[in-house]
C-alpha cells in the first residue's frame, strides 16, 4: 500500500520558518557562506537568506536564480 502523507497542521509561515532553520543549520554545519551557496546552487544569496529567515514576503521582490557567469 502507498504510504499516507501527513497533512500539515501548522500555518505555512511556521512550517516555512522551520525549513529555513534547517537550511541554515546545514549551511553553517558545512561552513558555507551565502555567496558560496549562490555559486554552487545558482540560487541568489539574497533568496537563500530569505529562505533561512522564513521571509515569505520578500520572495515577490527577489529573483531566485542567479545570472550565469
Amino acid at each position: 500500500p502507498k504510504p499516507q502523507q501527513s497533512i500539515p497542521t501548522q500555518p505555512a509561515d511556521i512550517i516555512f520558518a522551520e525549513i529555513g532553520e534547517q537550511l541554515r543549520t546545514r549551511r553553517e554545519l558545512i561552513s558555507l557562506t551565502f555567496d558560496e551557496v549562490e555559486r554552487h546552487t545558482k540560487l541568489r544569496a539574497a533568496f537563500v537568506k530569505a529562505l533561512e529567515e522564513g521571509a515569505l514576503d520578500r520572495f515577490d521582490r527577489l529573483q531566485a536564480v542567479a545570472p550565469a557567469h
Side-chain angles (χ1 to χ4, degrees), residues 28-60:
E28 291 175 347
L29 182 69
I30 57 176
S31 302
L32 288 177
T33 65
F34 289 112
D35 290 335
E36 290 169 326
V37 172
E38 179 176 299
R39 190 170 57 249
H40 294 291
T41 66
K42 307 300 184 224
L43 292 174
R44 290 187 179 274
F47 187 79
V48 175
K49 188 172 184 180
L51 278 170
E52 288 187 3
E53 294 172 356
L56 291 169
D57 59 320
R58 293 201 330 233
F59 285 135
D60 291 341

